[in-house]
Amino acid sequence: MSSAYRVLTALELEGLSDPSSEFAFDVLTGLAESPKRLSSRYFYDDRGSEIFQQIMGLEEYYLTGCEEEILTEHGQAILAATGDGPLSLVDMGAGDGKKTLLLLDRLAASGRSCRYLPIDISEAAMAGLTGRVQDRCPNIAVEGVVSEYFSGLQWLGHQPRWPTAGTTEPTILVLFLGSNIGNLDRPRARTFLRRLWTGLAAGDHVLIGFDLKKDIEVLLDAYNDSGGVTASFNLNLLRRINRELGGHFAVDRFRHFSTYNVFSGAMESYLVSLDTQEVRIDRLQSSFTFRAWEPLHTEYSYKYLLADIERLAAESGFEVVSQFHDRRAFFVDSLWRVKKG
Ligand code: AVJ
């Protein structure tokens, strides 16, 4: 006799999850909240990723230049800390991979056996990145995954560590560069790093880019660039809702505003409604009222002290190997080793 119920397996459920309905749901709930908010994870559609690449080229957005300097100056030391055996390089939120190439070039030149596993949410960015790496470093095996990093990480956790028989187990180095961790508040950062720890073995490494607390004027300029690129990055979120969810945002009726909260240590970004307006979003079968000067929160970018980084590592099961910073000490790439009992 057949039973009257079924137990859904994770696999059956997986096929049912739909990223665009998740976006729709988060917009629906976020705009119903008070204050209104949208998650910064939705910045990175193909267009948003393209605008972010423009941000990385801005003089005012010092983060990218600092990290390039760190990887150029200390790339050798970072790679050496992971030994000289086969290496799996996992790159979370790889973007255009320009910074990672600074490490890959060295690896390719050293002849060390290496596999490159980038994870990025934008397929266009991934296509560009994997193409570039394959051209530049033909002896590095490239296997990209287009997904958010949490699911990409889970997927990688189920992959064989090293498919070639006869070689020694590779060590893993996970890159989480560019201050991507800055979007997470402290509890979420801890949870994220614990998840990462769970998928790794003792002796694996992670290299995490943290933006440091510094002169507030420098911070404000980085998120309020004079060319308005950051503003269009932020406003692209409304354009994305218009494109994907049939929204009717008049994008020029909102302004970008970004400020520093000294107490929480975060740059906070908002879109502020310039007048009272009602915005219909067809696919949500809903309209939302924005009052004049009402804010919509879109992003946190947390800044760290070196001591915060050490505490975070300890709290999530890692040992700090080395903190590499640029000349001005604006930014740190922190190298951690996985500790297991
Ligand atoms: C990609 C999250 C590191 O927070 O600095 C840049 C995104 N937002 N300008 C950051 C961003 C506004 C960036 N991260």
Side-chain angles (χ1 to χ4, degrees):
M1 224 183 67
S2 72
S3 68
Y5 62 85
R6 73 183 295 161
V7 177
L8 277 182
T9 67
L11 212 67
E12 284 169 306
L13 278 171
E14 209 171 305
L16 300 175
S17 90
D18 168 9
S20 93
S21 73
E22 210 180 310
F23 178 45
F25 183 77
D26 285 353
V27 172
L28 182 67
T29 54
L31 294 185
E33 265 180 66
S34 172
K36 293 179 169 62
R37 61 186 183 87
L38 292 172
S39 167
S40 59
R41 60 195 270 233
Y42 295 117
F43 280 141
Y44 303 94
D45 62 347
D46 287 344
R47 177 68 189 129
S49 296
E50 201 180 289
I51 305 173
F52 182 61
Q53 285 178 26
Q54 249 175 286
I55 291 178
M56 288 193 291
L58 297 171
E59 189 60 44
E60 291 141 307
Y61 193 72
Y62 60 86
L63 292 80
T64 310
C66 289
E67 199 167 40
E68 278 168 8
E69 180 191 326
I70 294 168
L71 295 175
T72 304
E73 294 296 313
H74 304 288
Q76 191 65 50
I78 291 165
L79 292 172
T82 67
D84 56 8
L87 181 70
S88 289
L89 199 62
V90 177
D91 196 357
M92 303 205 293
D96 66 358
K98 197 172 153 219
K99 286 173 290 189
T100 315
L101 273 167
L102 296 169
L103 295 177
L104 289 172
D105 281 341
R106 273 184 209 277
L107 278 166
S110 75
R112 185 171 171 190
S113 160
C114 174
R115 196 158 68 122
Y116 179 54
L117 311 158
I119 304 173
D120 200 275
I121 189 65
S122 161
E123 184 170 355
M126 179 61 72
L129 164 68
T130 52
R132 220 166 301 132
V133 173
Q134 282 174 315
D135 285 349
R136 275 255 292 259
C137 316
N139 42 10
I140 291 181
V142 182
E143 297 164 51
V145 182
V146 176
S147 76
E148 296 210 309
Y149 7 90
F150 288 106
S151 21
L153 209 58
Q154 209 178 355
W155 184 84
L156 283 174
H158 293 281
Q159 300 307 299
R161 288 203 136 218
W162 197 247
T164 325
T167 53
T168 26
E169 279 260 295
T171 188
I172 295 177
L173 170 60
V174 176
L175 305 177
F176 193 42
L177 301 180
S179 183
N180 285 339
I181 199 165
N183 282 158
L184 307 174
D185 61 21
R186 295 304 147 87
R188 285 197 177 86
R190 261 196 310 268
T191 305
F192 177 83
L193 292 165
R194 245 327 156 186
R195 277 221 224 173
L196 191 55
W197 180 92
T198 305
L200 296 172
D204 286 338
H205 290 80
V206 299
L207 183 70
I208 308 176
F210 291 94
D211 194 19
L212 298 178
K213 287 185 175 162
K214 62 179 63 60
D215 185 343
I216 294 167
E217 297 306 327
V218 174
L219 292 176
L220 291 172
D221 286 351
Y223 292 82
N224 294 281
D225 67 279
S226 48
V229 183
T230 309
S232 76
F233 178 66
N234 201 1
L235 289 162
N236 177 58
L237 207 45
L238 304 183
R239 293 205 177 87
R240 180 174 183 183
I241 294 173
N242 287 351
R243 282 192 295 268
E244 294 183 21
L245 303 177
H248 295 274
F249 278 103
V251 170
D252 59 345
R253 300 316 301 149
F254 288 84
R255 64 157 284 182
H256 163 75
F257 180 74
S258 198
T259 188
Y260 182 60
N261 182 331
V262 275
F263 189 67
S264 69
M267 283 301 301
E268 298 178 351
S269 297
Y270 299 88
L271 291 168
V272 182
S273 176
L274 295 179
D275 41 35
T276 296
Q277 45 187 327
E278 178 119 335
V279 180
R280 165 99 195 147
I281 302 178
D282 296 337
R283 267 205 51 199
L284 303 182
Q285 300 179 58
S286 305
S287 294
F288 301 89
T289 305
F290 289 79
R291 305 285 169 198
W293 309 111
E294 181 178 349
L296 161 62
H297 177 260
T298 56
E299 189 177 42
Y300 291 112
S301 300
Y302 282 88
K303 309 304 173 190
Y304 281 77
L305 297 173
L306 288 178
D308 298 331
I309 299 174
E310 274 161 19
R311 183 154 22 90
L312 188 60
E315 287 167 343
S316 45
F318 296 87
E319 175 190 345
V320 177
V321 176
S322 234
Q323 312 238 50
F324 300 97
H325 59 77
D326 59 295
R327 257 173 291 124
R328 293 178 293 182
F330 276 6
F331 197 93
V332 155
D333 275 337
S334 194
L335 182 66
W336 300 356
R337 183 184 292 121
V338 176
K339 260 193 325 194
K340 300 236 169 164

